[in-house]
Amino acid sequence: MRHFLNPLDFTVGELDEVLDLADEIRQNPERYSQVCKGKKIATLFYEPSTRTRLSFEAAMLNLGGSVLGFATADSSSATKGESVSDTIRIVSCYADICAMRHPKEGAPLVASLKSSIPVINAGDGGHQHPTQTLTDLCTIRSLKGRLSDLTIGLCGDLKFGRTVHSLISALVRYPHIRFVLISPDALRIPSYIRDNTLIKNKIPFKEVQRLEDVMPELDILYMTRVQKERFFNEEDYIRMKDSYILDAEKMKLAREDMLVLHPLPRVNEISVEVDDDPRAAYFKQVQFGVYARMALIMTLLGLGGK
Amino acid sequence: MRHFLNPLDFTVGELDEVLDLADEIRQNPERYSQVCKGKKIATLFYEPSTRTRLSFEAAMLNLGGSVLGFATADSSSATKGESVSDTIRIVSCYADICAMRHPKEGAPLVASLKSSIPVINAGDGGHQHPTQTLTDLCTIRSLKGRLSDLTIGLCGDLKFGRTVHSLISALVRYPHIRFVLISPDALRIPSYIRDNTLIKNKIPFKEVQRLEDVMPELDILYMTRVQKERFFNEEDYIRMKDSYILDAEKMKLAREDMLVLHPLPRVNEISVEVDDDPRAAYFKQVQFGVYARMALIMTLLGLGGK
Amino acid sequence: MRHFLNPLDFTVGELDEVLDLADEIRQNPERYSQVCKGKKIATLFYEPSTRTRLSFEAAMLNLGGSVLGFATADSSSATKGESVSDTIRIVSCYADICAMRHPKEGAPLVASLKSSIPVINAGDGGHQHPTQTLTDLCTIRSLKGRLSDLTIGLCGDLKFGRTVHSLISALVRYPHIRFVLISPDALRIPSYIRDNTLIKNKIPFKEVQRLEDVMPELDILYMTRVQKERFFNEEDYIRMKDSYILDAEKMKLAREDMLVLHPLPRVNEISVEVDDDPRAAYFKQVQFGVYARMALIMTLLGLGGK
């Protein structure tokens, strides 16, 4: 039995198979509309994340399966002191697979150790959010046709943004990847990622503070939200939050075929005037996320083979 | 693509088709039990309304479709600052149709502008609640056999009660409708409805303060709840809330074939002793609400034609 | 139409039929995977109980039916002052059967009086939790092969633990049952149960304070959680909560074929080292709970006959 706790849990070859399946599903959704008939996914969301939860639920329903679970911890047994290990043993009696979101890092890993069903990490604290990374890879691969030979700009909060960290770790496994890291000084990429992931693997990268300066170089611009709750004080937040806003003016500097991605939700870091630009891929990304999760569910349930 | 944001979005002819379909569904539920197979409704409830939400969910399940969504705003991305426009674009990737309840007036309209799936307004603040109106029309038409030639008493909070306002706007489009408006002086129908909807359209109506005085005239008595939260102070609420209670005594004054409707939930404005009166139609109304929503979902998904 | 409000609502013979059906379902789940197609269960949880709610939902989904409802009272019409009697009349229009959890004792009974669909009591305050009892009976009967000739130890909070009270009432109807009641003095079984259920029915029992002393006698050890919220003060809780912890050491004193049951969630009253002991049956119990609920739903919907 396999779990999906970290994007690196799958080899590049295994990921390719998942992404191939996602692509096949996208082209022939009808063919897959009953493959999970009689199967159930449990969505165990110890903190709310509507978009991610609904993506999993849509994925399972699209496959003909059904859904049970909870959307916030207040309605879970956690409040009665039950451990994640006990909860997963119980849920193993109710469902065939589960997606767990938890504010504590490592909780899905702990669950997986006692689980008799596949566990998907749907986000654990500031740690991992591997199905977002799978979504990002699926989007880039489908729209660019490749996951290699790309210059990828990552913009915004690179210090706390777990989607950025996961995406870097996932992309360094592909050939000829180059990163442009765009952030205020206070929100630079953590040194353990710079040293252990980028430098160690001899991945070319540069760090800059102004988005305008690097727009023309990018194949992909991955924008991230400046999360208010990550800041130490209100002042810093207000001073910096507007520094990295993508608007139509900045888009003029970009290549014709550059793609803009964003893990969503966005607040104001991408101006709505960019939404109608054909290079804006962040809403398409949501659709790719459903296909990626469908492929992942099938794979973990052993239904992905040919 | 059509949305359903306001009862007046549909012409009388279009409404007739929806109500005909509702009637057909009521008589042959089995025939419609799979028409939405593979389709999903998203119930986006930014404020809780269990009755309305469950009615939509029952409707979709009765049609063989499935359901995803959220029941309160705390578990939605709204708390992270996402706009309704972004949410609907995302949900468009997850579902085939959506029902949105929102505390802000106009939110479903804003959503519909960016949506690629039909949006049903499931109540927006004090503004509209068009599926309640559709339910009311369906109930009256099914039990009375017509939507014309009726004297309709509207009783209770006529100032803030949006279901009353919507019902008036919907009924003035049918011939030979007469209204009796029964309320305390402080909760009279707003002047913009009196002037622009009733007087302008030459609809006969009268305003009275005592329910007893007009009971014998009515074909329909539409009771409404005195919502505590609409009052400016506790005193006013306590003084007035009991003024308009329907009981067995008052029912003696009514015609044999008068119908009592209520949008529910009721608190004490209809005494439980009235429940067993054959003229009490407020629980039947709930059942008609499911048929009306089934017909509406089918119609908006383009499955309503012959 | 039958409801299931109290384990004693069913005769021993009727319970036998439900438990036989549960057993048949366990052995041939595929055969039952569509029997509730087109049927809906409403899970009306006025207080959260994730484990119980998900068990009902899994049960209905396993039978091919579908689910709607609410997980907490905040999202229900109860907050608008609607009575349980009104809610059940409304829900009767939405679903074919319902499971109600309510903090007030007797609420499911009140609901059943106005309901036109079967009502299952999914726990009402400190009063009853009959599907837990059904689960317990199903587990004992399946793993022991009988519900008679058993010495049953009940350990922990015997004063407030409703699962213990219900289980005693259910088991005294079978021949040759003997109870060993293990609790601190302050949490002894209430006198109305001792006098009216045990003594009146001439059921042999003894009351002890130390678990170690009676381990060798037991066929079944039913552990219960020491619920912090039942204690009058923090001090008492801290002093007593660790007194009745089952660990590997105590398990050495037990028979080879003794079974450990627990209604879950557990906090620390069973040490995790016991989990891998083949006599630990509390996670199997969860699975039996799903089969028991499947059998119950079928029976109440009139689908249980041969």
Side-chain angles (χ1 to χ4, degrees):
Chain A
M1 196 181 53
R2 298 289 296 270
H3 303 288
F4 189 66
L5 304 171
N6 185 308
L8 306 185
D9 282 355
F10 281 27
T11 64
V12 168
E14 286 171 331
L15 269 185
D16 271 347
E17 279 182 36
V18 174
L19 297 175
D20 281 345
L21 180 55
D23 203 53
E24 217 175 290
I25 290 169
R26 180 169 63 91
Q27 288 171 47
N28 304 286
E30 283 305 317
R31 193 182 299 163
Y32 296 89
S33 69
Q34 294 295 316
V35 294
C36 284
K37 198 178 154 131
K39 303 283 184 195
K40 283 162 284 156
I41 192 167
T43 48
L44 311 177
F45 276 59
Y46 289 87
E47 66 178 6
S49 175
T50 306
R51 201 176 39 78
T52 303
R53 181 173 59 81
L54 295 186
S55 183
F56 275 108
E57 299 190 4
M60 192 49 152
L61 294 171
N62 286 348
L63 296 168
S66 50
V67 176
L68 45 76
F70 51 86
T72 58
D74 349 318
S75 61
S76 85
S77 295
T79 52
K80 294 179 189 161
E82 186 172 85
S83 71
V84 164
S85 296
D86 275 16
T87 299
I88 197 69
R89 285 198 184 209
I90 290 166
V91 170
S92 293
C93 298
Y94 297 156
D96 301 283
I97 188 167
C98 90
M100 178 182 288
R101 174 86 158 212
H102 206 288
K104 276 198 196 143
E105 306 186 359
L109 172 64
V110 169
S112 72
L113 301 175
K114 293 292 184 185
S115 181
S116 54
I117 59 173
V119 175
I120 300 172
N121 179 0
D124 58 332
H127 190 226
Q128 296 283 349
H129 189 3
T131 59
Q132 181 63 51
T133 304
L134 191 67
T135 296
D136 299 341
L137 297 179
C138 187
T139 306
I140 296 170
R141 191 176 182 258
S142 298
L143 296 179
K144 278 291 186 192
R146 66 185 192 277
L147 286 170
S148 55
D149 298 291
L150 293 168
T151 294
I152 293 147
L154 301 161
C155 177
D157 172 359
L158 306 188
K159 185 170 181 183
F160 299 103
R162 73 182 161 185
T163 56
V164 166
H165 304 170
S166 288
L167 186 57
I168 290 173
S169 304
L171 282 171
V172 298
R173 304 200 292 178
Y174 296 89
H176 310 299
I177 291 293
R178 182 175 160 259
F179 290 106
V180 180
L181 307 170
I182 310 143
S183 74
D185 194 57
L187 292 175
R188 280 170 66 190
I189 200 90
S191 60
Y192 71 90
I193 292 181
R194 195 180 55 234
D195 296 346
N196 299 343
T197 309
L198 295 173
I199 294 173
K200 202 185 200 176
N201 288 296
K202 301 193 178 109
I203 307 297
F205 72 94
K206 66 177 174 184
E207 295 187 80
V208 301
Q209 296 208 22
R210 286 168 42 96
L211 181 53
E212 297 89 322
D213 298 345
V214 294
M215 284 296 281
E217 308 173 26
L218 306 177
D219 295 307
I220 306 284
L221 171 59
Y222 196 95
M223 296 293 298
T224 64
R225 184 158 56 106
V226 179
Q227 285 181 270
K228 199 172 176 178
E229 60 268 33
R230 302 296 190 198
F231 280 82
F232 300 114
N233 61 63
E234 185 85 12
E235 252 177 74
D236 277 9
Y237 171 71
I238 288 166
R239 184 170 54 80
M240 293 191 290
K241 79 181 166 65
D242 291 337
S243 316
Y244 297 88
I245 291 177
L246 183 65
D247 54 19
E249 205 56 41
K250 292 200 190 80
M251 284 301 284
K252 285 186 190 152
L253 305 169
R255 292 187 193 160
E256 284 291 299
D257 63 350
M258 189 194 76
L259 293 179
V260 182
L261 272 69
H262 188 297
L264 304 182
R266 69 151 158 205
V267 182
N268 64 349
E269 60 277 13
I270 300 178
S271 167
V272 291
E273 68 195 13
V274 178
D275 294 0
D276 297 322
D277 190 304
R279 295 168 292 184
Y282 35 93
F283 290 120
K284 290 176 197 158
Q285 204 176 345
V286 176
Q287 187 67 67
F288 284 114
V290 177
Y291 297 131
R293 287 182 178 92
M294 290 170 77
L296 180 65
I297 290 168
M298 283 183 63
T299 300
L300 294 177
L301 286 174
L303 303 167
K306 273 118 197 189
Chain B
M1 195 180 56
R2 297 289 296 271
H3 303 288
F4 190 64
L5 304 171
N6 185 309
L8 305 185
D9 282 354
F10 281 26
T11 65
V12 168
E14 286 171 331
L15 269 184
D16 271 347
E17 280 182 36
V18 174
L19 296 175
D20 281 345
L21 180 55
D23 203 52
E24 218 176 289
I25 290 168
R26 181 169 62 92
Q27 289 171 47
N28 304 287
E30 284 304 317
R31 192 182 299 164
Y32 296 89
S33 69
Q34 295 295 317
V35 295
C36 284
K37 197 176 156 137
K39 303 281 184 197
K40 283 162 282 156
I41 192 167
T43 48
L44 311 178
F45 277 59
Y46 289 87
E47 65 178 7
S49 176
T50 306
R51 202 178 37 80
T52 303
R53 181 173 61 81
L54 295 186
S55 183
F56 276 108
E57 299 190 3
M60 191 50 151
L61 294 170
N62 286 348
L63 296 168
S66 50
V67 176
L68 46 76
F70 51 86
T72 57
D74 348 319
S75 60
S76 85
S77 296
T79 51
K80 294 180 188 161
E82 185 171 85
S83 70
V84 164
S85 296
D86 275 16
T87 300
I88 196 68
R89 285 195 184 211
I90 290 165
V91 170
S92 292
C93 299
Y94 298 156
D96 301 283
I97 188 168
C98 89
M100 178 182 288
R101 175 86 158 211
H102 204 288
K104 277 198 195 142
E105 306 187 359
L109 172 64
V110 169
S112 72
L113 300 175
K114 293 292 185 187
S115 181
S116 52
I117 58 173
V119 175
I120 301 171
N121 179 359
D124 58 333
H127 189 226
Q128 295 284 348
H129 189 4
T131 58
Q132 181 63 51
T133 305
L134 191 68
T135 296
D136 299 340
L137 297 179
C138 187
T139 307
I140 295 170
R141 191 175 183 259
S142 298
L143 295 179
K144 278 293 186 190
R146 65 185 192 276
L147 286 169
S148 54
D149 300 291
L150 293 167
T151 294
I152 293 147
L154 301 162
C155 178
D157 173 359
L158 306 188
K159 185 171 182 185
F160 300 105
R162 73 183 160 185
T163 56
V164 166
H165 303 171
S166 289
L167 186 57
I168 290 174
S169 304
L171 282 171
V172 298
R173 304 199 293 178
Y174 296 88
H176 309 300
I177 291 293
R178 185 178 158 255
F179 291 105
V180 179
L181 307 170
I182 310 143
S183 74
D185 194 57
L187 294 175
R188 281 170 64 190
I189 202 89
S191 60
Y192 71 90
I193 292 181
R194 196 180 53 234
D195 296 346
N196 300 342
T197 308
L198 296 174
I199 293 174
K200 203 185 201 174
N201 289 296
K202 302 190 178 112
I203 307 297
F205 73 94
K206 66 176 174 186
E207 296 187 80
V208 301
Q209 295 207 23
R210 286 168 42 95
L211 182 52
E212 298 88 322
D213 298 346
V214 294
M215 283 296 282
E217 309 172 26
L218 307 177
D219 295 308
I220 306 285
L221 172 57
Y222 196 95
M223 296 293 298
T224 64
R225 183 158 57 108
V226 178
Q227 286 181 269
K228 200 172 176 179
E229 61 267 33
R230 302 296 189 199
F231 280 83
F232 301 113
N233 62 64
E234 185 85 11
E235 252 176 75
D236 276 9
Y237 172 71
I238 287 166
R239 183 170 54 80
M240 292 191 290
K241 80 183 167 63
D242 291 337
S243 317
Y244 297 89
I245 292 177
L246 183 65
D247 54 19
E249 205 55 43
K250 293 199 190 80
M251 285 299 285
K252 286 186 190 153
L253 306 169
R255 292 188 193 159
E256 285 291 300
D257 63 350
M258 190 194 74
L259 294 179
V260 183
L261 273 71
H262 189 297
L264 303 183
R266 68 148 161 209
V267 182
N268 64 349
E269 60 278 14
I270 300 178
S271 167
V272 292
E273 68 196 12
V274 178
D275 294 359
D276 297 323
D277 190 303
R279 294 168 291 183
Y282 34 94
F283 291 121
K284 289 175 199 159
Q285 204 176 346
V286 177
Q287 187 67 67
F288 284 114
V290 177
Y291 297 131
R293 287 182 179 92
M294 290 170 77
L296 179 64
I297 290 168
M298 282 183 63
T299 300
L300 294 177
L301 287 174
L303 303 168
K306 274 115 198 193
Chain C
M1 195 180 55
R2 299 287 296 269
H3 303 288
F4 190 65
L5 304 171
N6 185 307
L8 306 185
D9 282 355
F10 281 26
T11 65
V12 168
E14 286 171 330
L15 269 184
D16 271 347
E17 280 182 35
V18 174
L19 297 175
D20 281 345
L21 180 56
D23 203 52
E24 217 176 290
I25 290 169
R26 180 169 62 91
Q27 288 171 48
N28 303 287
E30 283 304 318
R31 193 182 298 165
Y32 296 89
S33 69
Q34 295 295 316
V35 294
C36 284
K37 196 176 156 134
K39 303 282 184 197
K40 285 162 284 156
I41 192 167
T43 49
L44 310 177
F45 277 58
Y46 288 88
E47 65 178 7
S49 175
T50 306
R51 201 176 38 79
T52 303
R53 182 172 59 83
L54 295 186
S55 183
F56 275 109
E57 299 191 4
M60 192 49 152
L61 294 171
N62 286 348
L63 295 168
S66 50
V67 176
L68 46 76
F70 51 86
T72 58
D74 348 320
S75 60
S76 86
S77 296
T79 51
K80 294 180 189 162
E82 186 172 85
S83 71
V84 164
S85 297
D86 275 16
T87 298
I88 197 69
R89 285 196 183 209
I90 290 166
V91 170
S92 292
C93 299
Y94 298 156
D96 301 283
I97 188 168
C98 89
M100 179 183 287
R101 173 86 158 213
H102 205 288
K104 276 198 195 142
E105 306 186 358
L109 172 64
V110 169
S112 73
L113 300 176
K114 292 293 185 186
S115 181
S116 53
I117 58 173
V119 175
I120 301 172
N121 179 359
D124 59 332
H127 190 226
Q128 295 283 350
H129 190 3
T131 59
Q132 181 63 52
T133 305
L134 191 67
T135 295
D136 299 341
L137 297 178
C138 187
T139 306
I140 296 170
R141 192 175 181 260
S142 298
L143 296 179
K144 278 291 185 191
R146 65 186 192 276
L147 286 169
S148 55
D149 299 291
L150 293 167
T151 294
I152 293 147
L154 300 161
C155 178
D157 172 358
L158 306 188
K159 185 171 184 184
F160 299 104
R162 73 182 161 186
T163 55
V164 165
H165 303 171
S166 288
L167 186 58
I168 290 173
S169 304
L171 282 171
V172 297
R173 304 198 292 177
Y174 296 89
H176 309 299
I177 291 293
R178 183 177 160 257
F179 291 105
V180 180
L181 306 170
I182 310 143
S183 74
D185 195 56
L187 293 176
R188 281 169 65 188
I189 201 90
S191 59
Y192 71 89
I193 292 180
R194 195 181 54 235
D195 296 347
N196 298 343
T197 308
L198 296 174
I199 293 173
K200 202 185 200 173
N201 289 296
K202 301 190 177 113
I203 308 297
F205 72 95
K206 65 176 173 186
E207 296 187 80
V208 301
Q209 295 208 24
R210 287 168 41 97
L211 182 52
E212 298 88 322
D213 298 346
V214 293
M215 284 296 281
E217 308 173 27
L218 307 177
D219 294 308
I220 305 285
L221 171 58
Y222 196 95
M223 296 293 298
T224 65
R225 182 157 59 106
V226 178
Q227 286 181 269
K228 198 172 176 179
E229 61 269 31
R230 302 295 189 199
F231 279 83
F232 300 113
N233 62 63
E234 185 85 14
E235 252 176 74
D236 276 9
Y237 172 70
I238 288 165
R239 183 170 53 81
M240 293 191 290
K241 79 182 166 68
D242 292 337
S243 316
Y244 298 88
I245 291 178
L246 183 65
D247 55 18
E249 205 56 42
K250 293 199 190 80
M251 284 300 284
K252 285 185 190 154
L253 305 169
R255 292 188 195 160
E256 284 291 300
D257 64 349
M258 190 194 74
L259 293 179
V260 182
L261 272 70
H262 189 297
L264 304 183
R266 69 149 160 206
V267 181
N268 65 347
E269 60 277 13
I270 301 178
S271 166
V272 292
E273 68 196 13
V274 178
D275 294 359
D276 297 323
D277 190 304
R279 295 168 291 184
Y282 34 94
F283 291 121
K284 289 176 198 159
Q285 204 176 345
V286 177
Q287 186 67 66
F288 284 115
V290 177
Y291 297 131
R293 287 182 179 93
M294 290 169 76
L296 179 65
I297 290 168
M298 282 182 63
T299 301
L300 294 177
L301 286 174
L303 304 167
K306 273 118 199 189

